[in-house]
């Protein structure tokens, strides 16, 4: 039996293998004509919804929240209070025509031709000019001034001064001042002090950093298959403060910011399911949905994170094609 069966089996398999490779065959690939169906709809994400409600276009949302606190040291850039301010005297001239006297308040600014700002130490009463025919003799008064800032760069030589507060008026060219001797007394040291600009810069930089980090931590908490839109994230600055005050003598100071980020998130699969079911309801009779052609784009139009709702604009599409009767096609191509 074995002497007959084994050789016989080998012969049969050899014949089958030969016929498989030798006989003609054809591979037929069917590519149906695909029509594209596109739709636009608005759905509501609601944290009170328990599940997807396709009929009401409502999908469940979840509320996420993250608090973030950052504390950082910043360098003080102001000059310390142990600086000395340069001071001296100037003579203010009044050439206004028609002649009249003027009174300027204490702290009136005088700008030197070198760009250094000085402030009047007291109230200034400038006598009127004297006019004789076409000749005008300016009225004048001697005023003590002090540099607006400390430092030896304000120890300037005799200079000409203007009143920047009068710029844009006719008096800007009628009232000016000169100094007959150099300003003295200005000095500075290496000590620093905190300025209001330092505090504001620290607040801006640290707040921006903390808000960015809070958003990233919030996004990391988003479960898989969930979506969080940038428009659906809200950030509140709970506190931003420093114990340092403007004018505090220090090389650096600490600033602290606390923010809270919150967001609404929803499942991507819920959006896809809504879009798929909506398109299926619109597919004409005798046609089939091309499953792998589903495209869903989304954006938010109105978000109330605190209230737990968001309106989401959907722009979705998919392909459909005529139903294919493969059995009938096989009969048609036989032979």
């Amino acid at each position: 039996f074995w002497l007959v069966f084994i050789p016989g089996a080998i012969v049969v398999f050899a014949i089958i293998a030969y016929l498989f490779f030798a006989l003609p065959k054809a591979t037929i690939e069917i590519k149906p004509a695909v029509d594209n169906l596109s739709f636009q709809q608005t759905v509501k994400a609601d944290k009170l919804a328990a599940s997807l409600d396709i009929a009401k276009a409502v999908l469940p949302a979840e509320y996420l929240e993250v608090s973030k606190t950052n504390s950082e040291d910043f360098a003080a850039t102001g000059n310390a209070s142990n600086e000395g301010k340069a001071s001296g005297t100037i003579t203010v001239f009044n050439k206004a025509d028609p002649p009249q006297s003027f009174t300027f308040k204490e702290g009136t600014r005088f700008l030197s031709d070198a760009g250094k700002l000085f402030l009047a130490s007291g109230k200034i009463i400038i006598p009127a000019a004297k006019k004789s025919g076409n000749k005008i003799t300016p009225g004048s008064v001697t005023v003590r001034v002090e540099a607006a800032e400390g430092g030896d760069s304000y120890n300037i030589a005799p200079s000409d001064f203007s009143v920047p507060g009068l710029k844009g008026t006719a008096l800007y060219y009628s009232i000016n001042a000169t100094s007959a001797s150099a300003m003295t007394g200005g000095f500075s040291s290496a000590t620093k002090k905190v300025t209001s600009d330092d505090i504001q810069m620290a607040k801006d930089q640290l707040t921006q950093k903390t808000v960015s980090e809070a958003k990233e931590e919030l996004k990391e908490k988003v479960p898989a298959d969930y979506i969080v839109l940038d428009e659906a994230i809200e950030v509140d600055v709970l506190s931003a403060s420093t114990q340092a005050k403007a004018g505090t003598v220090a090389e650096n100071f600490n600033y602290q910011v606390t923010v809270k980020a919150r967001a609404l998130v929803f499942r991507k699969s819920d959006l896809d399911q809504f879009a798929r079911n909506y398109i299926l309801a619109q597919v004409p009779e005798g046609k089939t949905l091309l499953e792998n052609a589903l495209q869903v784009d989304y954006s938010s139009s109105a978000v109330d994170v605190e209230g737990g709702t968001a309106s989401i604009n959907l722009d979705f599409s998919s392909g459909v094609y005529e139903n294919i009767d493969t059995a009938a096609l096989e009969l048609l191509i036989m032979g």
Side-chain angles (χ1 to χ4, degrees), residues 297-324:
D297 295 321
Y298 44 84
S299 63
S300 62
S301 59
V303 179
D304 180 6
V305 176
E306 196 68 30
T309 61
S311 294
I312 304 168
N313 296 325
L314 293 183
D315 190 348
F316 53 99
S317 63
S318 186
V320 294
Y321 59 91
E322 295 286 350
N323 294 338
I324 299 172

Side-chain angles (χ1 to χ4, degrees), residues 45-47 61-64 218 227-229 232-233 262-266 303-310:
D46 192 339
K47 70 178 182 180
E62 291 190 22
Y63 178 86
L64 299 179
L218 187 67
I227 296 171
V228 56
L229 298 174
I233 299 177
R262 54 185 187 273
L264 282 180
V265 299
F266 46 88
V303 179
D304 180 6
V305 176
E306 196 68 30
T309 61

